[in-house]
Coordinates of all heavy atoms in Angstrom, one line a residue:
E46 N 53.7 -20.4 -24.7 CA 53.4 -20.3 -26.1 C 52.4 -19.1 -26.5 O 52.1 -18.9 -27.6 CB 52.8 -21.6 -26.6 CG 53.7 -22.7 -26.5 CD 53.1 -24.1 -26.8 OE1 52.3 -24.1 -27.8 OE2 53.5 -25.1 -26.2
N47 N 51.9 -18.4 -25.4 CA 50.9 -17.4 -25.6 C 51.5 -16.1 -25.1 O 52.2 -16.1 -24.1 CB 49.6 -17.7 -25.0 CG 48.9 -18.8 -25.7 OD1 48.4 -18.7 -26.8 ND2 48.8 -20.0 -25.0
H48 N 51.1 -15.0 -25.7 CA 51.5 -13.7 -25.3 C 50.9 -13.4 -23.9 O 49.8 -13.7 -23.7 CB 51.1 -12.6 -26.4 CG 51.8 -11.4 -26.2 ND1 53.1 -11.2 -26.7 CD2 51.5 -10.2 -25.6 CE1 53.5 -9.9 -26.4 NE2 52.5 -9.3 -25.7
Q49 N 51.7 -12.8 -23.1 CA 51.3 -12.4 -21.7 C 51.4 -10.9 -21.6 O 52.1 -10.2 -22.3 CB 52.2 -13.1 -20.7 CG 52.3 -14.6 -20.8 CD 51.0 -15.3 -20.6 OE1 50.2 -14.8 -19.8 NE2 50.8 -16.4 -21.2
F50 N 50.7 -10.4 -20.6 CA 50.7 -8.9 -20.4 C 52.1 -8.4 -20.0 O 52.5 -7.2 -20.2 CB 49.7 -8.5 -19.3 CG 50.1 -8.8 -17.9 CD1 50.7 -7.8 -17.2 CD2 49.9 -10.0 -17.3 CE1 51.1 -8.0 -15.8 CE2 50.3 -10.2 -16.0 CZ 50.9 -9.2 -15.3
F51 N 53.0 -9.3 -19.5 CA 54.4 -8.9 -19.2 C 55.4 -9.3 -20.2 O 56.6 -9.2 -20.0 CB 54.7 -9.5 -17.8 CG 54.5 -11.0 -17.8 CD1 55.4 -11.9 -18.3 CD2 53.3 -11.5 -17.2 CE1 55.2 -13.3 -18.2 CE2 53.1 -12.9 -17.1 CZ 54.0 -13.7 -17.6
S52 N 54.9 -9.7 -21.4 CA 55.9 -10.2 -22.4 C 56.8 -9.1 -22.9 O 57.9 -9.4 -23.4 CB 55.1 -10.9 -23.6 OG 54.5 -12.1 -23.2
D53 N 56.3 -7.9 -23.0 CA 57.1 -6.8 -23.5 C 56.6 -5.5 -22.9 O 55.6 -5.4 -22.2 CB 57.2 -6.7 -25.0 CG 55.9 -6.6 -25.7 OD1 55.0 -5.8 -25.2 OD2 55.6 -7.2 -26.7
A54 N 57.4 -4.5 -23.0 CA 57.1 -3.2 -22.4 C 55.8 -2.6 -23.0 O 55.0 -2.0 -22.2 CB 58.2 -2.2 -22.6
E55 N 55.6 -2.7 -24.3 CA 54.3 -2.2 -24.9 C 53.1 -2.9 -24.2 O 52.1 -2.2 -23.9 CB 54.3 -2.4 -26.4 CG 53.0 -1.9 -27.1 CD 53.0 -2.2 -28.5 OE1 53.6 -3.1 -29.0 OE2 52.2 -1.5 -29.2
S56 N 53.1 -4.2 -24.1 CA 52.0 -4.9 -23.5 C 51.8 -4.5 -22.0 O 50.6 -4.3 -21.6 CB 52.2 -6.4 -23.6 OG 52.3 -6.8 -24.9
L57 N 52.8 -4.4 -21.3 CA 52.7 -3.9 -19.9 C 52.1 -2.5 -19.8 O 51.2 -2.2 -19.0 CB 54.1 -4.0 -19.2 CG 54.0 -3.9 -17.7 CD1 53.2 -5.0 -17.1 CD2 55.5 -4.1 -17.1
T58 N 52.5 -1.6 -20.7 CA 52.0 -0.2 -20.7 C 50.5 -0.3 -21.1 O 49.7 0.4 -20.5 CB 52.8 0.6 -21.7 OG1 54.2 0.7 -21.3 CG2 52.2 2.0 -21.8
H59 N 50.2 -1.1 -22.1 CA 48.8 -1.2 -22.5 C 47.9 -1.8 -21.3 O 46.8 -1.3 -21.1 CB 48.7 -2.1 -23.7 CG 47.3 -2.1 -24.4 ND1 46.9 -1.0 -25.1 CD2 46.3 -3.0 -24.4 CE1 45.7 -1.3 -25.6 NE2 45.3 -2.5 -25.1
F60 N 48.4 -2.8 -20.6 CA 47.7 -3.4 -19.5 C 47.5 -2.3 -18.4 O 46.4 -2.1 -17.9 CB 48.5 -4.5 -18.9 CG 47.8 -5.1 -17.7 CD1 46.8 -6.0 -17.8 CD2 48.3 -4.8 -16.4 CE1 46.2 -6.5 -16.7 CE2 47.7 -5.3 -15.3 CZ 46.6 -6.2 -15.4
S61 N 48.5 -1.5 -18.2 CA 48.3 -0.4 -17.2 C 47.3 0.6 -17.7 O 46.4 1.1 -16.8 CB 49.7 0.3 -17.0 OG 49.5 1.4 -16.2
R62 N 47.3 1.0 -18.9 CA 46.3 2.0 -19.4 C 44.9 1.4 -19.3 O 44.0 2.1 -18.8 CB 46.6 2.3 -20.9 CG 45.6 3.2 -21.6 CD 45.9 3.4 -23.1 NE 44.8 4.1 -23.8 CZ 44.6 5.4 -23.8 NH1 45.4 6.2 -23.0 NH2 43.6 5.9 -24.4
C63 N 44.7 0.2 -19.7 CA 43.4 -0.4 -19.6 C 42.9 -0.6 -18.1 O 41.7 -0.4 -17.8 CB 43.3 -1.8 -20.3 SG 43.5 -1.6 -22.1
A64 N 43.9 -0.9 -17.2 CA 43.5 -0.9 -15.8 C 43.1 0.4 -15.3 O 42.2 0.5 -14.4 CB 44.7 -1.4 -15.0
K65 N 43.7 1.5 -15.8 CA 43.3 2.8 -15.4 C 41.9 3.2 -15.9 O 41.1 3.8 -15.2 CB 44.3 3.9 -15.9 CG 45.6 3.8 -15.1 CD 46.6 4.8 -15.8 CE 48.0 4.6 -15.1 NZ 49.0 5.5 -15.7
I66 N 41.6 2.7 -17.1 CA 40.2 2.8 -17.7 C 39.2 2.1 -16.8 O 38.2 2.7 -16.5 CB 40.2 2.4 -19.1 CG1 41.0 3.3 -20.0 CG2 38.7 2.3 -19.6 CD1 41.2 2.7 -21.5
Y67 N 39.6 0.9 -16.4 CA 38.7 0.1 -15.6 C 38.4 0.8 -14.2 O 37.3 0.9 -13.8 CB 39.3 -1.3 -15.4 CG 38.5 -2.2 -14.5 CD1 37.4 -2.9 -15.0 CD2 39.0 -2.4 -13.2 CE1 36.7 -3.7 -14.2 CE2 38.2 -3.3 -12.4 CZ 37.1 -3.9 -12.8 OH 36.4 -4.8 -12.0
A68 N 39.5 1.3 -13.7 CA 39.4 2.0 -12.4 C 38.6 3.3 -12.5 O 37.9 3.7 -11.5 CB 40.8 2.3 -11.8
A69 N 38.6 3.9 -13.6 CA 37.9 5.2 -13.8 C 36.4 5.1 -13.7 O 35.8 6.1 -13.5 CB 38.4 5.9 -15.1
W70 N 35.9 4.0 -14.0 CA 34.4 3.9 -13.9 C 34.0 3.0 -12.7 O 32.8 2.5 -12.6 CB 33.8 3.4 -15.2 CG 34.0 2.0 -15.7 CD1 35.1 1.6 -16.3 CD2 33.1 0.9 -15.6 NE1 35.0 0.2 -16.6 CE2 33.7 -0.2 -16.2 CE3 31.8 0.8 -15.1 CZ2 33.2 -1.4 -16.3 CZ3 31.2 -0.5 -15.2 CH2 31.9 -1.6 -15.7
A71 N 34.9 2.8 -11.7 CA 34.6 2.0 -10.5 C 33.3 2.5 -9.8 O 32.5 1.8 -9.3 CB 35.7 2.0 -9.6
F72 N 33.2 3.9 -9.7 CA 32.0 4.5 -9.0 C 30.7 4.0 -9.7 O 29.7 3.7 -9.0 CB 32.1 6.0 -9.0 CG 31.9 6.6 -10.4 CD1 30.7 7.1 -10.8 CD2 32.9 6.6 -11.4 CE1 30.5 7.6 -12.1 CE2 32.8 7.1 -12.6 CZ 31.5 7.6 -13.0
Y73 N 30.7 4.0 -11.0 CA 29.5 3.6 -11.7 C 29.3 2.1 -11.7 O 28.1 1.6 -11.5 CB 29.6 4.1 -13.2 CG 28.3 3.9 -14.0 CD1 27.1 4.2 -13.5 CD2 28.4 3.5 -15.3 CE1 25.9 4.0 -14.3 CE2 27.3 3.3 -16.1 CZ 26.0 3.6 -15.6 OH 24.9 3.4 -16.4
R74 N 30.4 1.3 -11.8 CA 30.3 -0.1 -11.7 C 29.7 -0.5 -10.4 O 28.8 -1.5 -10.3 CB 31.7 -0.7 -11.9 CG 31.7 -2.2 -12.0 CD 33.1 -2.8 -12.4 NE 34.2 -2.2 -11.6 CZ 35.1 -1.4 -12.1 NH1 35.0 -0.9 -13.3 NH2 36.1 -0.9 -11.4
K75 N 30.1 0.1 -9.3 CA 29.5 -0.2 -8.0 C 28.0 0.0 -8.0 O 27.2 -0.8 -7.4 CB 30.2 0.6 -6.9 CG 31.6 0.2 -6.6 CD 32.3 1.0 -5.6 CE 33.7 0.7 -5.4 NZ 34.4 1.6 -4.6
D76 N 27.5 1.1 -8.5 CA 26.1 1.3 -8.6 C 25.4 0.3 -9.4 O 24.3 -0.2 -9.1 CB 25.8 2.7 -9.2 CG 26.2 3.9 -8.3 OD1 26.4 3.6 -7.1 OD2 26.3 5.0 -8.8

Side-chain angles (χ1 to χ4, degrees):
E46 298 174 36
N47 290 291
H48 196 80
Q49 305 295 331
F50 78 96
F51 53 81
S52 292
D53 58 41
E55 180 186 21
S56 299
L57 195 56
T58 299
H59 191 76
F60 177 79
S61 174
R62 175 182 172 80
C63 291
K65 290 175 185 176
I66 292 169
Y67 179 78
W70 69 281
F72 70 97
Y73 187 42
R74 187 171 47 255
K75 288 176 186 175
D76 289 344

